[in-house]
């Protein structure tokens, strides 16, 4: 996804200090491990049939928020406010902070290996330079992806998708996997193969801004749920969701503020709504009131804590 409205880096020095103070207690105990180990009636009318179909889709879509439950926490690039984004350490900090879902980006190296990286180049988040698609797996494996964030993370690597899937499978967690930018059918097929080979098909949702990448995924792996990322709300999100076979429609938070009615319409069609990228309690409260199913955030521990207070408040009736 694009950079969040409140980026986790910048001003870099102040942000690093805040990030380290938040994440250092969680990370120090696990960083070394990461560096070394690498769930006969009459026929219905058309309206009744449509309503029944919507009910079936809602029942089948586990990404929809159950009545009385809090919004799902999805850690944006891991716990990216507390650890270097899109790394296994960031994923671990997010897990320890209470996030059951990790959101990360995937792109291929020059030799076709899927890596977890957001930008089209490695310049911002590693000690290297150049486009990821111009670097081989061997070159990417040598890069330091942690020291830019804070010295304690020196030596953290850019993970392959395979390494991330292994980490989630062994340590726990689920993945919202963004196919970053246009991908060929063969490139999507390699991603699908990794997910299947690691036994993670039941724990991955694939999302993208690119509808064609989602079409490739659906054709290659109909068992994988899909989410469409949007900067701007489509004129008819329900129709788009139906055409692409979406489990989730994932708009920028500002679009839901401008079009709150979209949540109910998508829910009626059996489609979940995941908003991005949202880092403040006032916005969490607004999205909660709209019925938003999940929030993608740079601050998963804080959102998990907010959810806990929300649940406690419901139980006490306050």
């Amino acid at each position: 996804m694009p950079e969040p409205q409140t980026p986790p880096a910048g001003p870099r020095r102040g942000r690093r200090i805040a990030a380290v103070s938040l994440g250092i207690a969680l990370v120090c105990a696990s960083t070394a491990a990461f560096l070394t180990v690498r769930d006969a009636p009459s026929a219905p009318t058309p309206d009744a049939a449509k309503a029944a179909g919507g009910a079936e889709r809602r029942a089948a879509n586990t990404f929809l928020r159950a009545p009385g439950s809090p919004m799902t926490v999805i850690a944006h690039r891991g716990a990216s406010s507390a650890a270097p984004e899109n790394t296994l350490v960031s994923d671990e900090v997010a897990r320890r902070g209470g996030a059951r879902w990790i959101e990360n980006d995937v792109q291929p190296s020059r030799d076709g290996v899927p890596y977890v990286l957001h930008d089209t180049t490695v310049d911002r988040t590693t000690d290297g330079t150049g486009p990821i698609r111009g670097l081989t797996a061997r070159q990417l494996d040598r890069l330091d992806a942690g020291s830019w964030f804070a010295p304690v993370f020196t030596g953290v690597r850019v993970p392959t998708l395979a390494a991330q899937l292994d980490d989630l499978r062994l340590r726990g967690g689920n993945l919202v996997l963004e196919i970053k930018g246009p991908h060929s059918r063969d490139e999507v097929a390699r991603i699908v193969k990794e997910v299947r080979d690691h036994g993670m098909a039941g724990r991955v949702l694939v999302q993208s801004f690119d509808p064609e990448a989602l079409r490739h995924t659906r054709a290659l792996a109909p068992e994988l749920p899909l989410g469409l990322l949007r900067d701007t709300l489509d004129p008819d999100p329900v129709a788009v969701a139906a055409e692409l076979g979406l489990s989730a429609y994932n708009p920028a938070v500002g679009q839901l503020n401008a079009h709150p009615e979209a949540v109910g319409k998508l829910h009626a069609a059996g489609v979940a709504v995941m908003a991005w990228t949202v880092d403040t309690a006032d916005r969490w409260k607004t999205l909660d009131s709209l019925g938003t199913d999940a929030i993608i955030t740079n601050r998963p521990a804080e959102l998990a804590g907010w959810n806990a207070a929300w649940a406690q408040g419901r139980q006490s009736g306050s």
Side-chain angles (χ1 to χ4, degrees), residues 5 8 35 47 50 60 68 90 98 102 104 108 121 142 147 156 161 163 174 188 197 200 236 244 257 279 283 293:
Q5 295 174 0
L35 297 178
D47 286 345
K50 183 177 180 181
S90 186
I102 307 294
N104 272 337
T121 74
R142 291 200 295 260
S147 59
V156 169
L161 176 59
N174 309 286
V188 173
D197 286 353
M200 288 289 289
D236 189 348
L244 292 174
N257 292 335
D279 295 332
R283 288 189 165 185
D293 299 285

Side-chain angles (χ1 to χ4, degrees), residues 309-318:
W310 176 94
Q312 186 175 17
R314 284 180 63 92
Q315 291 174 358
S316 64
S318 59

Side-chain angles (χ1 to χ4, degrees), residues 1-9 72-87 90-91 94-95 99 101-105 116 118-119 124 149 164 174-176 178 180 207 209 229 275-279 295-301 303:
M1 290 181 291
E3 292 303 309
Q5 295 174 0
T6 306
T72 297
V73 178
I74 302 176
H76 184 228
R77 310 180 201 170
S80 52
S81 66
E85 65 184 59
N86 281 337
T87 64
S90 186
D91 291 357
R95 271 192 296 264
W101 286 86
I102 307 294
E103 185 273 346
N104 272 337
D105 311 275
V116 177
H118 174 269
D119 298 359
R124 179 176 65 88
F149 192 91
Q164 185 186 35
N174 309 286
L175 181 63
V176 176
E178 180 180 345
K180 195 69 186 176
Q207 68 173 3
F209 282 99
L229 288 160
W276 57 271
T277 301
V278 195
D279 295 332
I295 289 180
I296 300 172
T297 179
N298 296 304
R299 303 189 178 280
L303 178 53

Side-chain angles (χ1 to χ4, degrees), residues 106-123:
V106 65
Q107 300 182 70
S109 65
R110 190 174 77 189
D111 40 355
V113 179
Y115 275 81
V116 177
L117 190 85
H118 174 269
D119 298 359
T120 57
T121 74
V122 301
D123 298 42

Side-chain angles (χ1 to χ4, degrees), residues 48-67:
K50 183 177 180 181
E56 289 176 0
R57 287 190 295 275
R58 287 193 296 274
N61 189 352
T62 59
F63 297 99
L64 285 164
R65 182 179 171 189

Side-chain angles (χ1 to χ4, degrees), residues 220-277:
L220 291 162
E223 76 275 16
L224 292 178
L226 304 177
L228 177 66
L229 288 160
R230 280 300 198 227
D231 286 305
T232 303
L233 211 69
D234 292 286
D236 189 348
V238 172
V240 172
E243 190 271 321
L244 292 174
L246 301 181
S247 293
Y249 186 93
N250 304 344
V253 59
Q255 293 299 300
L256 289 186
N257 292 335
H259 305 281
E261 74 286 350
V263 177
K265 291 178 180 179
L266 286 159
H267 283 175
V271 181
V273 178
M274 301 176 176
W276 57 271
T277 301

Side-chain angles (χ1 to χ4, degrees), residues 83-87 117 125-127 140 142-149 153-159:
E85 65 184 59
N86 281 337
T87 64
L117 190 85
T125 57
T126 79
D127 60 350
L140 289 167
R142 291 200 295 260
L143 298 180
D144 181 325
S147 59
W148 69 274
F149 192 91
F153 298 110
T154 299
V156 169
R157 301 301 177 192
V158 181

